[in-house]
Amino acid sequence: SGPGVAADLSALYPGTPPGWGAGMNDLQLRMAYQQHTRQSRRLYLGAIPPGTKVPELQQFFNDAMLSSGAAVNPGAGAPVMQVTINQDKGFGFVEFGAMEDAESALMFDGITYNGTQLKLSRPKDYIAANNPLIIARGGMGGGGGEQGG
């Protein structure tokens, strides 16, 4: 906690605005960043077969991520932190520990689980411009706006 701490935060916590985390200790910073990045670490999961159990689906995605090389940091352990399922409506969410893993997992859209093709996508409330990875890479790259002409 010396004079250079604030400058180091953007390297440790990509995509955070200037001044973010001022006055927080390490634990508070980690917790705040988890909340700050949650939207960018979650994926919508549709077409979940009836009777699917959370631990089995979580293991399925962890295995798929690790065996395919899609996990960005396999040495960090299981990439999936949490799976939630709405059994009545057949959808849920997969929450990853790292934003990069959520981004990488999008390649599994259409993967077959227990004979059903799962739909995997960003949730409806996802806003790409708020994703710290995209911010850290310099923004949307101009692809999202209208061009003059």
Side-chain angles (χ1 to χ4, degrees), residues 58-82:
Q58 186 164 339
Q59 188 63 52
F60 174 79
F61 276 104
N62 278 325
D63 291 346
M65 291 288 291
L66 293 168
S67 67
S68 68
V72 176
N73 185 4
V80 177
M81 287 179 47
Q82 180 177 337

Side-chain angles (χ1 to χ4, degrees), residues 59-143:
Q59 188 63 52
F60 174 79
F61 276 104
N62 278 325
D63 291 346
M65 291 288 291
L66 293 168
S67 67
S68 68
V72 176
N73 185 4
V80 177
M81 287 179 47
Q82 180 177 337
V83 171
T84 56
I85 298 174
N86 180 325
Q87 291 286 356
D88 294 338
K89 298 190 177 175
F91 75 90
F93 295 93
V94 181
E95 184 173 338
F96 296 86
M99 296 176 285
E100 296 87 349
D101 283 332
E103 193 172 62
S104 183
L106 288 168
M107 70 183 232
F108 293 112
D109 182 33
I111 193 170
T112 300
Y113 176 77
N114 288 350
T116 302
Q117 275 198 316
L118 298 175
K119 177 171 175 38
L120 198 61
S121 63
R122 292 289 189 180
K124 287 181 187 171
D125 65 353
Y126 173 75
I127 301 167
N130 292 346
N131 183 327
L133 289 178
I134 292 172
I135 294 167
R137 292 176 187 145
M140 299 296 291

Side-chain angles (χ1 to χ4, degrees), residues 9-26:
L9 286 181
S10 64
L12 291 171
Y13 302 103
T16 52
W20 180 88
M24 292 186 205
N25 66 34
D26 287 343

Side-chain angles (χ1 to χ4, degrees), residues 1-64:
S1 55
V5 171
D8 296 338
L9 286 181
S10 64
L12 291 171
Y13 302 103
T16 52
W20 180 88
M24 292 186 205
N25 66 34
D26 287 343
L27 178 60
Q28 290 168 326
L29 285 168
R30 284 196 306 273
M31 297 300 289
Y33 195 64
Q34 285 291 306
Q35 190 60 37
H36 180 73
T37 61
R38 186 163 191 247
Q39 187 194 53
S40 301
R41 293 182 295 105
R42 291 174 73 226
L43 295 179
Y44 167 85
L45 188 56
I48 300 172
T52 297
K53 305 272 186 272
V54 166
E56 294 163 7
L57 195 56
Q58 186 164 339
Q59 188 63 52
F60 174 79
F61 276 104
N62 278 325
D63 291 346

